[in-house]
């Protein structure tokens, strides 16, 4: 691991723990040393408490962050929290047990320091020492007093010699004679220092002795290593008229002083500790508790950091997995530690790279499939036949625009609804007859099937040729249905048939009609003069009937001849508006209203004028017949030239045509009139088609209109 | 979290149960009997007499050879309003007299040690020792030359037990136990201008 990172992660807590630990160690040490004052203890205690508070604050902050991360579902936070608490519990429980035992041992240990016998022995030792010293003091006092009396005369006369002798007798260190105001008169000392002066007696002792009292006590002088104890004995003396004071200084052997002090110190310490027993227990317990808190706090902080570091690869893996699931195929940058987790990261990176390659391949394949699909769609769309593919659930998978046009349903909106249910819904009701007819074939057919069906549409009857094939080779199964409008084909076949009939009629029937008529007329002429009146009338009636029928048949044959005539047009410029005006004049008569509405913008049309005239003639005639039963029979003729197309319309106010009539109105010999050949409108349609035009019947209000459109490409 | 709550509760309980000695024990008392000043050889000197009554706890500690430290502070304060109306005071000088009181078991006496100059005094009884401890004579504060006429000077005295010099183990107890408190608080005396400037 990076040393700087290590220092940043563990440095502050380590330093703080170390400082607090040192403070606690010194704290414990200060408690055990009697010389240590509360001031030092307080400083150390506050330092340790401060360190613990900072550690606690760090812990609270760390835990707060961790809990916030858990709430935000940050990767790895939950496991970090759990592992940290688990490890801390595992460590904390034994530490707590040790703490409790240590506390108990501490209390027992402190109690074990104290013993009644020890205290008594120490007190006795001190008493004994004190008694010994007191006895020695009294002995020296008595000895000094008795000796002073002995040397009283000499002390008055030759004080220096007397003091010297007295000192030797008393075995004193120093003997001095003072006046009653404390001024030294003479002295004798064992000290070799020439300038040495006698120990000056304190003022209070001088006053005490001046009053006639004696003084004998142990005193100390000097500092440090020079410190020593000695007996000071001071007694009043009556030497003549002048009061004097005699002071004797007796040394105390250092060993004796040390022993006495040792005994005194031992008792003093014992007494102190006895007094401090309970406070010491409390202070020790507080110190131990602080140590416990330090251990737990630092353990928890270190554990959280340690677990956080340990789970870093897991966090990286989780984040990377989320990225991958979001489609971002990025490997983890850091390779991770040199352990199983690092191996896991490396494996993950390998997997991501493979996934990336696979994704790329899939994308390429998908693009190819899309291209193929678009290609197929283009092919299907360009087909003039309608195509629908169904899957195994009979849902529409593919269709083209022609299919929508032929079926008259918005297949785009079919969605995932199976066709059997789809045909029950509003916009798809038009599909129901189609589906009802092909459903048995789809369900039962095992191979290619074909069906021709009639379909009713608003523009008339339509004939569809439907072919289907099961998609057995496909994994998903299904069916493909192809259908096309063969209405024109069927009608063309019919026209061809009728044309053949017309040709045969014209050829086979028209020729014999003239001899039949001539023969009938000759028969009537020749035999009419020879027969009686009654028979002659019968003959004329019969021959008249023959002639009439022959005329009728000739008319019929002429009509068929017109229909069968070959489409060889004699094209020339035709002024359509003029033609319409001529036609109006031709048919103008009382009881019939003819209205003309021409477009002056219409140019001359390249057409066969005779055929065009016949076309108008047939339509006007058809219109007059249609509206002759109306109270005010009216015809409207109009021309319009727009968008390169000439539109001629012939309208009438007749009763109009039914839906079924529209399907056969242009077929030969299809008439509902008692008279007529039934070829009029068939001829009209033939002439229109010869001129590359179209014709359709519309109903607008009370008008039934035949609308003829002719291209103006041949316009001059 | 539960573990931490338990630890915190334990710590608080320990602190709460820390020696809270019976409050019916006698509390220490400090009474300033007199606090006077005088000028001697152009030096401002103070005399004071303080009666000290130790609490049972403090006596008990002394009996158990625990030395007690006392600090007596003498402070001369100058009161001179800033700009004539803003109250302002300045400590001219402060003298401290730290004294240790302890039992000399071997000698059967009570030993007083002035920690500033090392001088020792002995007493036969504790009451006598406290009497010596509370007696202050000719405590030199400041040269008269350092003072100015017309300025209000105040003298302050405070005697207290120095709890920071108790044995370490006693510190926690002394924080919570009122019988360890011994403090006269500041006793103030105005400096007599006539005494100060009379010739």
């Amino acid at each position: 691991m990076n040393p700087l990172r290590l220092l940043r992660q563990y440095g502050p807590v380590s330093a703080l723990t170390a400082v607090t630990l040192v403070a606690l160690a010194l704290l414990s040490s200060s408690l055990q040393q009697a010389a240590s004052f509360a001031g030092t203890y307080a400083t150390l205690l506050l330092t340790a408490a401060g360190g613990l508070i900072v550690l606690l604050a760090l812990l609270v902050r760390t835990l707060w962050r961790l809990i916030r991360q858990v709430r935000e579902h940050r990767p790895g936070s939950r496991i970090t929290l759990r592992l940290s608490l688990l490890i801390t519990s595992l460590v904390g429980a034994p530490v707590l047990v040790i703490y409790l035992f240590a506390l108990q041992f501490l209390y027992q240990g402190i109690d074990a320091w104290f013993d009644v016998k020890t205290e008594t022995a120490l007190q006795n030792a001190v008493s004994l020492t004190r008694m010994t010293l007191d006895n020695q003091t009294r002995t020296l006092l008595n000895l000094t007093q008795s000796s002073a009396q002995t040397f009283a005369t000499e002390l008055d006369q030759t004080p220096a010699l007397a003091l010297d002798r007295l000192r030797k007798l008393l075995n004193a260190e120093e003997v001095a004679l003072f006046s009653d105001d404390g001024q030294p008169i003479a002295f004798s000392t064992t000290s070799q220092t020439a300038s040495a002066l006698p120990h000056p007696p304190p003022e209070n002792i001088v006053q005490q002795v001046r009053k006639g009292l004696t003084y004998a006590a142990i005193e100390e002088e000097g500092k440090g290593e020079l410190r020593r104890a000695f007996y000071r004995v001071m007694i009043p003396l009556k030497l003549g008229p002048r009061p004097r004071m005699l002071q004797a200084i007796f040394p105390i052997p250092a060993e004796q002083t040390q022993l006495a002090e040792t005994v005194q110190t031992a008792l003093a310490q014992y007494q102190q500790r006895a007094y401090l027993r309970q406070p010491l227990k409390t202070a020790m317990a507080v110190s131990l508790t602080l140590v416990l808190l330090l251990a737990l706090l630092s353990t928890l902080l270190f554990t959280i950091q340690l677990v956080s570091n340990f789970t870093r690869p897991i966090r990286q893996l989780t984040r990377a997995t989320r990225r991958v699931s979001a489609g971002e195929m990025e490997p983890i940058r850091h390779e991770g530690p040199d352990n199983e987790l690092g191996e896991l990261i490396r494996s993950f990176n390998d997997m991501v790279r493979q996934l990336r390659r696979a994704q790329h391949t899939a994308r390429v394949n998908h693009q190819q499939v899309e291209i193929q699909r678009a290609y197929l769609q283009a092919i299907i769309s360009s087909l003039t036949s309608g195509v629908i593919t169904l899957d195994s659930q009979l849902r529409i998978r593919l269709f083209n625009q022609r299919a929508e046009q032929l079926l008259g349903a918005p297949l785009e909106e079919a969605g995932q609804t199976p066709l059997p249910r789809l045909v029950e819904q509003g916009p798809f009701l038009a599909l129901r007859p189609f589906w009802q007819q092909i459903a048995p074939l789809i369900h039962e057919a095992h191979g290619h099937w074909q069906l021709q069906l009639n379909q009713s549409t608003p523009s008339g009857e339509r004939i569809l040729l439907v072919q289907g094939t099961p998609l057995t080779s496909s994994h998903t199964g299904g069916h493909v249905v192809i259908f096309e409008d063969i209405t024109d084909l069927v009608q063309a076949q019919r026209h061809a048939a009728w044309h053949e009939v017309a040709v045969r009629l014209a050829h086979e029937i028209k020729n014999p009609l003239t001899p039949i008529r001539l023969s009938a007329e000759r028969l009537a002429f020749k035999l009419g003069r020879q027969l009686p009146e009654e028979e002659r009338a019968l003959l004329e009636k019969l021959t008249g009937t023959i002639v009439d029928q022959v005329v009728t048949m000739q008319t019929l044959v002429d009509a068929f001849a017109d229909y069968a005539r070959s489409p060889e047009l004699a094209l020339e410029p035709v002024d359509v508006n003029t033609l319409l005006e001529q036609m109006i004049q031709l048919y103008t008569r009382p009881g019939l209203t003819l209205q003309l509405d021409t477009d002056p913008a219409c140019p001359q049309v390249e057409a066969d004028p005779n055929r065009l005239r016949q076309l108008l003639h047939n339509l006007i005639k058809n219109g007059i017949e249609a509206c002759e039963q109306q109270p005010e029979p009216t015809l409207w003729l109009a021309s319009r030239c727009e968008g390169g197309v000439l539109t001629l319309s012939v309208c009438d106010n007749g009763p109009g045509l039914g839906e079924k009539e529209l399907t056969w109105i242009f077929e030969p010999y299809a008439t509902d009139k008692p008279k007529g050949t039934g070829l009029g409108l068939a001829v009209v349609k033939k002439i229109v088609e010869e001129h590359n035009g179209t014709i359709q019947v519309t109903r607008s209000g009370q008008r039934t209109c035949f609308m003829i459109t002719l291209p103006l490409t041949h316009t001059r | 979290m539960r573990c931490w709550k338990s630890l915190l509760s334990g710590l608080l309980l320990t602190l709460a149960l820390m020696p809270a000695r019976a409050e019916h024990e006698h509390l220490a008392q400090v009474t300033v009997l007199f606090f006077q000043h005088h000028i001697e050889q152009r030096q401002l000197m103070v005399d004071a007499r303080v009666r000290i009554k130790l609490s049972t706890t403090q006596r008990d500690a002394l009996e158990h050879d625990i030395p007690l430290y006392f600090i007596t502070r003498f402070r001369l304060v100058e009161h001179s309003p800033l700009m004539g109306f803003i109250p302002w005071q300045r400590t001219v000088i402060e003298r401290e007299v730290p004294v240790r009181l302890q039992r000399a078991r071997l000698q059967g006496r009570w030993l007083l040690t002035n920690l500033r100059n090392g001088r020792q005094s002995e007493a036969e009884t504790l009451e006598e020792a406290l009497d010596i401890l509370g007696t202050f004579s000719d405590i030199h504060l400041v040269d008269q030359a350092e003072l100015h006429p017309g300025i209000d000077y105040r003298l302050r005295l405070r005697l207290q037990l120095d709890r920071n010099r108790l044995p370490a183990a006693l510190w926690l107890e002394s924080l919570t136990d009122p019988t360890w408190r011994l403090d006269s608080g500041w006793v103030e005396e105005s400096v007599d201008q006539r005494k100060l400037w009379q010739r």
Side-chain angles (χ1 to χ4, degrees), chain A residues 38-39 264 272 296-297 300, chain B residues 4 7 65 105-106 164 166 173:
Chain A
Q264 181 179 243
Q272 285 178 0
L296 290 177
L297 287 175
L300 195 50
Chain B
W4 281 106
L7 283 172
D65 293 285
R105 188 176 287 274
L106 204 58
N164 283 335
L166 286 172
E173 185 181 315

Side-chain angles (χ1 to χ4, degrees), chain A residues 84 218 450 552 704:
Chain A
S84 301
I218 298 169
Q450 185 171 323
T552 302
T704 303

Side-chain angles (χ1 to χ4, degrees), chain A residues 23-68:
Chain A
L24 285 170
L26 293 174
L27 192 74
S28 175
S29 174
S30 75
L31 283 174
Q32 294 169 22
Q33 293 172 9
S36 176
F37 291 124
T40 313
Y41 175 79
T43 307
L44 292 171
L45 187 64
L46 289 177
T47 305
L52 285 173
I53 287 169
V54 175
L55 280 175
L56 187 64
L58 280 175
L59 179 64
V60 168
R61 192 189 69 165
T62 308
L63 282 176
W64 172 251
R65 283 181 178 174
L66 204 53
I67 289 169
R68 196 177 59 190

Side-chain angles (χ1 to χ4, degrees), chain A residues 299-317:
Chain A
T299 301
L300 195 50
L301 280 168
F302 279 125
T303 303
I304 289 173
Q305 188 60 55
L306 199 68
V307 173
S308 179
N309 288 345
F310 181 75
T311 56
R312 181 174 291 112
I314 297 175
R315 288 200 299 277
Q316 289 175 338
L317 271 173

Side-chain angles (χ1 to χ4, degrees), chain A residues 344-459:
Chain A
L344 191 60
I345 287 181
R346 286 187 283 279
S347 302
F348 177 84
N349 284 345
D350 291 342
M351 183 190 75
V352 168
R353 290 187 192 101
Q354 287 176 4
L355 274 175
R356 194 193 280 172
R357 282 196 291 272
Q359 193 184 36
H360 177 71
T361 308
R363 194 182 296 126
V364 170
N365 289 341
H366 180 70
Q367 285 172 349
Q368 288 179 348
V369 168
E370 282 299 314
I371 291 169
Q372 292 291 335
R373 184 185 173 86
Y375 180 66
L376 182 62
Q377 187 73 40
I379 291 173
I380 290 175
S381 298
S382 64
L383 289 176
T384 55
S385 303
V387 177
I388 289 178
T389 61
L390 304 173
D391 62 11
S392 59
Q393 305 295 320
L394 297 177
R395 292 174 299 201
I396 297 175
R397 298 294 302 269
L398 200 65
F399 65 91
N400 63 357
Q401 196 175 358
R402 182 60 178 159
E404 277 190 320
Q405 290 170 352
L406 289 176
L407 296 177
L411 300 181
E412 185 74 35
E413 300 170 11
Q416 296 296 313
T417 310
L419 204 51
R421 277 200 286 143
L422 193 69
V423 298
E424 302 297 330
Q425 298 173 6
F428 301 97
L429 284 173
L431 277 176
R432 191 192 287 176
F434 176 79
W435 170 247
Q436 284 173 346
Q437 294 194 58
I438 67 168
L441 295 169
I442 285 178
H443 288 310
E444 295 167 11
H446 297 290
H448 181 80
W449 51 267
Q450 185 171 323
L451 171 71
Q452 182 173 321
L453 58 87
N454 293 330
Q455 187 185 32
S456 294
T457 66
S459 60

